[in-house]
Amino acid sequence: MSSEAVIEELEVLESIYPEELSKISDRDIEIDAEPDDPVDGAEELKATLCVHYTDEYPDTLPELSLKSVEGNIDDEELDKILDELRLVGNDNLGMAMTFTLMSHLREQLSQLVRSRAERRGQEEREKERLALEEEEARTRGTPVTVESFKAWKAAFDKEIALKRAREDEEKIKGLTPKEKEEFKRIGSRLTGRQLFERGDRNLEDDTLLEEGTVSVDVSQYERTGIEEDQEEEGVTFSDSE
């Protein structure tokens, strides 16, 4: 291709890309490219297409290279875009192709932006899904089985028994020795239901406490010094002789 034809193509390109095109020499140019279909909120990308026109252009491809200007475009992505540009160039051999290459480059940048946005959206949805599953597992708790219920019941019964024992100790502190003995004797008896649940069929056992029997009320054994004095004053003796 003659130098005049290259100059003519460059004039057309300068009118299309007045701010994006930089003329390095008669046969070398650089054109900044951005996505032709930007995605709102997505990362901004910009690349520069470097073109060197050979003597055989446009019957052969010009020498092409890409530079990342804005945004993070790694070498692997740049190489992939360059391969696409060369395929497009081979389909346009024999004619001016720089504008066609630039149009395809902008499409490739748009596709790169969309794929990144989709990947970022998938990652965010996956994080939300995992967070939701974690929250559901936390609030759902441990499933109840027969074994776990038995273990819980045994621990619960033990806790209740200890609590009752402490309460009984507090109740008998103010009792006389005789009252304490009576309280312990009555408290050690089992009800008929307790004997039945235990599998004991000897219902004449001295330890049997009939159902409905009122348990010992400690308040019945609480006496004050005044009451004792009144009882002593009320005692009289008669002379039978």
Side-chain angles (χ1 to χ4, degrees):
M1 185 176 188
S2 63
S3 298
E4 290 79 8
V6 172
I7 294 174
E8 182 179 348
E9 183 176 0
L10 291 179
E11 289 177 351
V12 174
L13 292 174
E14 287 175 341
S15 65
I16 299 174
Y17 308 108
E19 298 180 359
E20 296 86 351
L21 188 146
S22 298
K23 186 176 180 180
I24 309 302
S25 68
D26 291 341
R27 290 184 175 271
D28 294 276
I29 62 171
E30 294 181 353
I31 309 176
D32 294 333
E34 296 180 348
D36 60 358
D37 186 18
V39 177
D40 292 338
E43 178 185 6
E44 295 184 359
L45 295 181
K46 180 184 290 187
T48 298
L49 176 63
C50 303
V51 183
H52 171 72
Y53 298 103
T54 62
D55 293 338
E56 292 79 18
Y57 177 82
D59 295 327
T60 60
L61 289 176
E63 296 177 3
L64 304 174
S65 62
L66 279 174
K67 296 187 298 184
S68 178
V69 177
E70 186 174 346
N72 183 21
I73 308 177
D74 59 37
D75 293 339
E76 183 178 353
E77 291 170 329
L78 291 175
D79 290 340
K80 182 178 179 181
I81 295 175
L82 274 175
D83 291 339
E84 292 289 334
L85 293 179
R86 293 188 179 103
L87 290 175
V88 172
N90 284 326
D91 291 337
N92 290 271
L93 291 177
M95 63 184 74
M97 66 179 74
T98 308
F99 175 77
T100 303
L101 295 175
M102 274 296 298
S103 298
H104 191 71
L105 173 58
R106 295 186 64 190
E107 292 177 1
Q108 290 295 304
L109 292 176
S110 295
Q111 183 176 344
L112 181 59
V113 169
R114 287 193 297 270
S115 63
R116 288 184 176 183
E118 291 175 358
R119 183 167 61 250
R120 184 164 55 252
Q122 291 176 352
E123 292 174 353
E124 292 176 354
R125 288 190 293 272
E126 180 65 12
K127 289 181 180 179
E128 292 177 357
R129 185 186 67 81
L130 293 175
L132 181 60
E133 289 182 353
E134 182 178 352
E135 179 64 17
E136 289 178 347
R138 185 184 67 82
T139 56
R140 184 168 54 245
T142 305
V144 178
T145 63
V146 175
E147 290 75 13
S148 64
F149 176 78
K150 288 181 178 179
W152 171 85
K153 184 66 166 56
F156 178 77
D157 291 344
K158 182 178 180 181
E159 181 181 353
I160 295 299
L162 291 175
K163 182 179 179 181
R164 289 177 176 173
R166 288 193 295 267
E167 292 175 351
D168 289 345
E169 289 178 0
E170 291 295 327
K171 289 179 180 179
I172 65 177
K173 282 183 178 179
L175 303 180
T176 65
K178 184 177 181 180
E179 292 168 343
K180 289 180 180 179
E181 182 180 351
E182 179 66 14
F183 178 82
K184 291 181 179 180
R185 185 181 67 81
I186 297 176
S188 63
R189 291 182 178 180
L190 299 177
T191 66
R193 178 177 179 180
Q194 290 172 328
L195 289 172
F196 178 79
E197 292 176 347
R198 197 177 63 175
D200 195 337
R201 295 297 183 268
N202 185 11
L203 299 183
E204 296 181 356
D205 194 327
D206 292 338
T207 62
L208 175 62
L209 182 64
E210 294 182 358
E211 289 286 353
T213 301
V214 179
S215 60
V216 175
D217 185 356
V218 179
S219 63
Q220 296 176 4
Y221 297 99
E222 294 179 353
R223 301 189 302 176
T224 63
I226 297 176
E227 292 174 344
E228 293 176 354
D229 292 341
Q230 291 176 347
E231 290 177 0
E232 291 177 356
E233 292 176 357
V235 175
T236 59
F237 299 90
S238 61
D239 189 359
S240 60
E241 295 179 359

